[in-house]
Amino acid sequence: MDTRIINFYEDGFKDCVNEIRENGVVVFPTETVYGIGGNALSPQAINKIFEVKNRERDNPLIVHVCDYDISKYVKNISEDSNKLIDKFWPGPLTIIFEKSSIIPYETTGGRESVGLRMPNNEIALKLIKESGCPIAAPSANISGRPSGTNSKRCFDDLKGRVKFIIDGCESKIGLESTVISMINDEPIILRPGYITLQDIQKVLPRVKMYERVNEKILDENPISPGMKYKHYAPKGKMVIVKGNMENIKSYVKQEIINHKKVGVLCFKENYKFYREISEELNLVVVGSKSDLNEIGKNLFESIRRFDDLNCDFIISECLNEDFSTAIMNRLLKAASFNVITF
Ligand code: TXA
Ligand code: MG
């Protein structure tokens, strides 16, 4: 199968709309990350998404809508759910509701609940509107890999597996949406994202963060299936370091001896520190510690840079989890929760 990269402003966009109408899949941009989309109401389209992405069938897909009237897709829209919709849609917040019978179990990984979100991206909204159906879409990457945040990275992962990738430049946010469950009208954040606990507390003071979001989850049936799978990993082994910088320096020197090619994911502030350890280190600057939005935007692209550089071992700096829960959530998963404290 040939994979075409489509410019939204040219003719190919119509082909993408037809592809969705005919139960095919299309990679498209959103403000968070790119998605692999298909008709959320069509088991045939949904099966293709799981195949293309090599995704575990019990891991439910997020359903993307372009309209505020979601009553066809869900049961029980509480007053508090409406508050979230009013405040955060269109935007990076996925809300989990009890599903209606129109949503097939293929889409929800067999669950009675469904996650809905209205993306804040012109191309995504137009694709949903013109296709005439809600679009189910997981992030555009092979399962386990970092999410695609530009059309080139989506192409690297998915060439030959999808017919169309709509180009929409770099994703503005770069991290996937915050996922909040409103099941039983109990607001609980299952995946941290750009919209923080504090942002949601301003609308729903009783909201809680699921206490294990940044823990390694081995349960057979966790509250959100995505938690138990490997995510965001570069090809080389990755570890996160924290603590005393002099001890970190000795550790890095030792790992340069132990491995063929060592990479460091570092903040702007510490570039010189690592450069002075060795010219041999492959440094990727993810952003400045004082600008979380910049780090979020660059994170997945930076992790993928280590694959371009063929690094077999990657050492990553870390942030204080209290004020960067979402970024640390992705980094911890990329490193399979391997953290060394010096
Ligand atoms: O920003 C995003 O959310 C992107 C863009 C494309 O919209 N999508 C995305 O999808 O990140 P995905 O499939 O990579 O992640 C969806 C996460 C998974 O961890 C999944 O387990 C969880 O949301 N999820 C979806 N529906 C759920 C449900 N009904 N109950 C519990 N967790 C759910
Ligand atoms: Mg994903």
Side-chain angles (χ1 to χ4, degrees):
M1 181 190 296
D2 272 349
T3 300
R4 273 169 65 197
I5 298 194
I6 301 292
N7 181 328
F8 172 59
Y9 300 98
E10 290 169 7
D11 279 353
F13 185 70
K14 283 195 206 110
D15 298 335
C16 297
V17 170
N18 284 334
E19 182 70 10
I20 301 272
R21 286 188 184 163
E22 287 162 15
N23 296 320
V25 299
V26 170
V27 172
F28 66 100
T30 83
E31 80 281 30
T32 56
V33 300
Y34 279 64
I36 309 175
N39 182 347
L41 309 181
S42 154
Q44 192 190 339
I46 300 303
N47 281 330
K48 275 190 201 155
I49 295 175
F50 279 96
E51 256 164 50
V52 161
K53 184 166 166 136
N54 202 11
R55 183 181 175 106
E56 304 286 345
R57 300 272 167 171
D58 69 347
N59 196 1
L61 306 180
I62 293 172
V63 174
H64 298 70
V65 296
C66 65
D67 201 304
Y68 287 96
D69 181 10
I70 54 169
S71 53
K72 264 190 287 185
Y73 311 127
V74 305
K75 295 183 195 159
N76 307 330
I77 309 170
S78 66
E79 207 177 298
D80 278 351
S81 302
N82 273 322
K83 281 188 193 163
L84 293 177
I85 292 172
D86 284 348
K87 173 77 183 166
F88 297 110
W89 282 9
L93 185 71
T94 295
I95 307 174
I96 297 179
F97 299 91
E98 214 182 308
K99 81 173 192 70
S100 74
S101 58
I102 199 179
I103 303 282
Y105 285 111
E106 282 81 356
T107 304
T108 68
R111 299 202 161 209
E112 295 297 338
S113 59
V114 63
L116 254 54
R117 125 174 158 86
M118 187 188 291
N120 188 11
N121 176 288
E122 182 198 357
I123 301 176
L125 291 171
K126 189 140 191 234
L127 186 69
I128 304 165
K129 195 167 178 45
E130 300 214 347
S131 303
C133 59
I135 293 186
S139 51
N141 51 277
I142 298 287
S143 282
R145 303 271 299 139
S147 305
T149 53
N150 56 56
S151 56
K152 183 187 171 300
R153 292 305 188 184
C154 296
F155 185 82
D156 290 347
D157 263 23
L158 302 169
K159 60 175 173 289
R161 293 173 169 255
V162 294
K163 281 194 199 150
F164 303 106
I165 297 174
I166 309 174
D167 178 41
C169 306
E170 289 290 330
S171 306
K172 283 210 179 81
I173 292 178
L175 298 178
E176 305 88 342
S177 61
T178 304
V179 176
I180 184 169
S181 168
M182 290 301 286
I183 300 293
N184 299 329
D185 210 23
E186 265 174 46
I188 173 158
I189 297 176
L190 303 182
R191 179 174 72 181
Y194 181 81
I195 294 175
T196 63
L197 175 69
Q198 292 74 19
D199 294 334
I200 299 177
Q201 272 170 342
K202 287 184 195 140
V203 188
L204 297 186
R206 64 197 180 94
V207 63
K208 291 199 179 68
M209 179 73 75
Y210 179 56
E211 67 276 12
R212 296 172 67 199
V213 278
N214 279 356
E215 265 177 45
K216 188 171 191 168
I217 306 271
L218 298 168
D219 317 12
E220 187 51 39
N221 192 15
I223 184 163
S224 177
M227 289 172 178
K228 68 181 173 186
Y229 295 116
K230 185 178 161 191
H231 282 295
Y232 321 122
K235 292 185 178 139
K237 181 177 159 63
M238 184 165 162
V239 299
I240 295 171
V241 292
K242 61 179 174 189
N244 179 287
M245 292 300 269
E246 275 314 300
N247 294 347
I248 290 178
K249 188 192 271 183
S250 317
Y251 171 74
V252 172
K253 282 186 180 159
Q254 187 54 45
E255 295 300 355
I256 293 173
I257 298 167
N258 292 347
H259 295 91
K260 284 201 207 86
K261 219 170 176 198
V262 174
V264 176
L265 184 81
C266 68
F267 304 118
K268 254 180 212 153
E269 290 83 352
N270 296 339
Y271 177 84
K272 246 180 105 191
F273 170 83
Y274 287 101
R275 186 41 70 232
E276 281 168 4
I277 296 177
S278 166
E279 278 299 318
E280 267 180 59
L281 279 177
N282 295 274
L283 301 182
V284 175
V285 176
V286 66
S288 162
K289 263 198 276 192
S290 61
D291 186 348
L292 294 183
N293 291 346
E294 181 189 27
I295 296 175
K297 189 172 167 169
N298 293 335
L299 186 65
F300 291 136
E301 181 61 24
S302 301
I303 294 175
R304 281 179 182 264
R305 286 279 301 142
F306 294 110
D307 294 342
D308 303 342
L309 294 162
N310 283 319
C311 291
D312 58 329
F313 194 73
I314 299 133
I315 297 164
S316 171
E317 295 202 274
C318 77
L319 291 163
N320 180 338
E321 263 181 56
D322 287 343
F323 62 86
S324 59
T325 319
I327 292 167
M328 283 314 297
N329 175 267
R330 308 313 190 262
L331 264 178
L332 284 163
K333 291 184 178 191
S336 299
F337 295 87
N338 238 317
V339 183
I340 310 176
T341 307
F342 291 96

